[in-house]
Amino acid sequence: MKYNALMAFLLFFVVFFRLSLIIPFLYLAFIPAFFGIMYLVRNFMISMNNGLVSIDRKNLMLLYIFITIFLFCLVFDFFQKNHSFQSYFTVRIFMLFLFSFVPAYYLVNRFIKGDLKLMERILVCSLWVQIVIFFAMYISPELKRLLYTFFGMSDSVNLWEQNAKVRGFGLSGEINFMTPFLMIYMSFFMMKRRYALITLICLTQIVNSNMAVIAAIIGIGCSRLNINIKIATVLVLGILVYSLGAVFFPRFYDEFVSGDGTRTLDILLQQHVFVVGNLDFFNIIFGLQQNISSSIPDIKQSSDMGWVILFNYGGLTFIILFLFLIFTISIATFGVTYQAIIWMLIGIIFNTKGLVLGSNGYFFLSFIYMFLNRVTPSGQSSITNKLGQVSK
């Protein structure tokens, strides 16, 4: 049991935090992906032989949407002017399957097996490890540089002189974007009441990303914590952040205290909203078949905003397909509940700041809890009910 717990923790940690080894594209997720593919094929063959292959209606709809998006990208990728490996959306969809879907399937079916307490322990341990790493990096910039280099992030902007001591404290390939937000979400919604952990996660991750403020607002406003606890949390966080902001939260302080809170939004609107060609009816509906993501090297003009990237690539059609995708995956993950609405809202928020369609923590968590819904032993409450209980 201890071996299973350790392996499950390591699998979750390297996949959720998108860790590499030495070089950026040598993802440690290759290891669980490899074993996961073998495990998936083995289980599929056993099910085929026993005549037990079946997909429930919610997951079947999700499968149809994924296939539709993949075929859409397969066609549109042929019309791109930029034929670099990073520009292909078909590659992005395949990576989503390989590094999010497969590891989630392997984690849940091989190690978790419906044990929600084990899943919660994994989340708690992951968050505490990141808190320890946060403070270690905060205290020692040399350790930060060493760990960044070892885990394939040596070219990160967080090592630039102006950023080294103000952001990027933790181990994650998405430490400036998705990870801080999801860590706060997990602390509020996916585990039992741990007020010290919630407070520490909020305080540390606000240092890493201003988007963490939105996550904290959602967590405090939408979780089922007692109203007195919510008020106390707001007061404690507010006093600490405001009084210590200029020293410990300089980016947050500049954005929301010294500034009017719209600096990031203004930059996005002024520099990242554009189209790469003339708009006519066809281009509005089907886009311009150009991937303008800032993750692609050597392109003249790029954007960080997911909606702008999706529109330039596949127009309103691609945006609608993406919205159907996150709607369906939210329902498949959390059922028809308020948490499904929150999860879809989070996907929309992520896609405003960056491009969420790909292998990342958002989809990895989605698949984990979707599979937990399926393998929870009979006689236990559904995962949706369990999540509702632990957030109280």
Side-chain angles (χ1 to χ4, degrees):
M1 184 62 183
K2 290 182 179 179
Y3 170 80
N4 272 3
L6 177 61
M7 295 304 294
F9 166 75
L10 291 174
L11 191 161
F12 177 86
F13 198 87
V14 301
V15 176
F16 178 78
F17 294 113
R18 286 191 66 191
L19 297 180
S20 303
L21 191 63
I22 309 300
I23 58 177
F25 298 109
L26 187 57
Y27 297 119
L28 289 172
F30 273 115
I31 299 172
F34 172 75
F35 287 105
I37 287 289
M38 293 195 298
Y39 190 80
L40 179 63
V41 171
R42 168 184 168 274
N43 285 354
F44 181 78
M45 294 304 295
I46 292 173
S47 298
M48 283 285 289
N49 292 335
N50 294 329
L52 298 176
V53 176
S54 64
I55 304 175
D56 77 27
R57 189 174 300 174
K58 289 182 295 186
N59 295 346
L60 189 62
M61 179 61 68
L62 183 60
L63 177 63
Y64 287 153
I65 292 173
F66 263 112
I67 291 174
T68 302
I69 290 176
F70 182 80
L71 293 176
F72 184 94
C73 295
L74 194 64
V75 172
F76 276 45
D77 275 345
F78 280 108
F79 296 95
Q80 286 205 69
K81 296 177 182 177
N82 184 351
H83 291 287
S84 64
F85 182 80
Q86 296 97 323
S87 70
Y88 290 128
F89 263 92
T90 46
V91 173
R92 181 173 285 271
I93 301 300
F94 178 74
M95 298 279 274
L96 190 161
F97 169 78
L98 187 65
F99 293 137
S100 292
F101 179 89
V102 172
Y105 177 88
Y106 187 52
L107 173 67
V108 172
N109 290 277
R110 171 65 178 83
F111 298 107
I112 305 298
K113 299 178 180 177
D115 187 347
L116 302 182
K117 290 183 179 179
L118 175 58
M119 188 66 235
E120 184 182 344
R121 289 203 303 272
I122 290 169
L123 296 180
V124 171
C125 289
S126 297
L127 294 181
W128 277 116
V129 168
Q130 285 289 6
I131 287 173
V132 171
I133 294 172
F134 176 96
F135 285 111
M137 286 187 176
Y138 192 89
I139 294 169
S140 174
E142 293 78 15
L143 179 62
K144 178 182 178 182
R145 183 173 296 278
L146 176 65
L147 290 175
Y148 264 59
T149 301
F150 184 78
F151 287 103
M153 300 182 289
S154 59
D155 60 346
S156 172
V157 297
N158 294 327
L159 295 180
W160 293 359
E161 184 177 353
Q162 65 268 33
N163 294 329
K165 296 182 180 180
V166 298
R167 68 187 297 190
F169 304 109
L171 283 180
S172 174
E174 299 169 339
I175 198 66
N176 295 340
F177 170 42
M178 192 175 289
T179 296
F181 195 113
L182 291 176
M183 288 173 66
I184 293 175
Y185 177 86
M186 290 190 296
S187 69
F188 274 103
F189 291 98
M190 292 184 167
M191 55 191 66
K192 292 179 181 178
R193 293 175 292 181
R194 288 178 169 82
Y195 303 126
L197 181 59
I198 289 173
T199 303
L200 282 171
I201 287 296
C202 289
L203 290 174
T204 55
Q205 298 316 304
I206 287 173
V207 175
N208 285 328
S209 172
N210 286 338
M211 283 187 68
V213 178
I214 301 174
I217 292 171
I218 292 174
I220 294 169
C222 299
S223 68
R224 296 180 180 178
L225 293 173
N226 181 280
I227 185 63
N228 294 325
I229 297 297
K230 291 185 178 184
I231 294 172
T233 302
V234 171
L235 289 174
V236 170
L237 291 177
I239 292 171
L240 287 173
V241 172
Y242 187 82
S243 60
L244 303 175
V247 177
F248 296 105
F249 311 96
R251 297 176 64 254
F252 172 86
Y253 197 85
D254 290 342
E255 176 90 20
F256 296 103
V257 180
S258 300
D260 58 4
T262 64
R263 184 184 61 179
T264 300
L265 181 61
D266 290 341
I267 292 173
L268 287 174
L269 293 177
Q270 292 170 13
Q271 300 179 17
H272 296 270
V273 178
F274 60 88
V275 292
V276 293
N278 296 324
L279 287 180
D280 53 30
F281 179 78
F282 181 87
N283 290 340
I284 291 173
I285 300 301
F286 295 108
L288 296 137
Q289 296 82 58
Q290 299 302 313
N291 187 347
I292 58 168
S293 170
S294 57
S295 64
I296 303 172
D298 303 323
I299 58 176
K300 294 180 179 179
Q301 192 175 16
S302 64
S303 176
D304 286 337
M305 295 185 67
W307 303 111
V308 177
I309 297 169
L310 294 181
F311 182 80
N312 277 275
Y313 179 79
L316 292 179
T317 302
F318 202 32
I319 288 176
I320 291 170
L321 285 173
F322 173 76
L323 288 171
F324 268 120
L325 173 63
I326 60 172
F327 170 77
T328 307
I329 204 169
S330 298
I331 297 299
T333 302
F334 298 112
V336 184
T337 64
Y338 80 99
Q339 284 198 320
I341 297 173
I342 294 172
W343 198 240
M344 183 175 179
L345 174 64
I346 289 172
I348 291 171
I349 293 171
F350 280 152
N351 207 58
T352 303
K353 181 65 171 63
L355 180 60
V356 74
L357 184 60
S359 60
N360 52 54
Y362 178 80
F363 280 106
F364 182 52
L365 276 180
S366 297
F367 292 133
I368 286 175
Y369 282 93
M370 184 183 75
F371 289 129
L372 277 172
N373 253 329
R374 186 168 60 84
V375 303
T376 298
S378 59
Q380 292 188 12
S381 300
S382 70
I383 186 66
T384 302
N385 290 336
K386 291 287 185 180
L387 288 175
Q389 293 169 14
V390 300
S391 63
K392 289 181 180 179

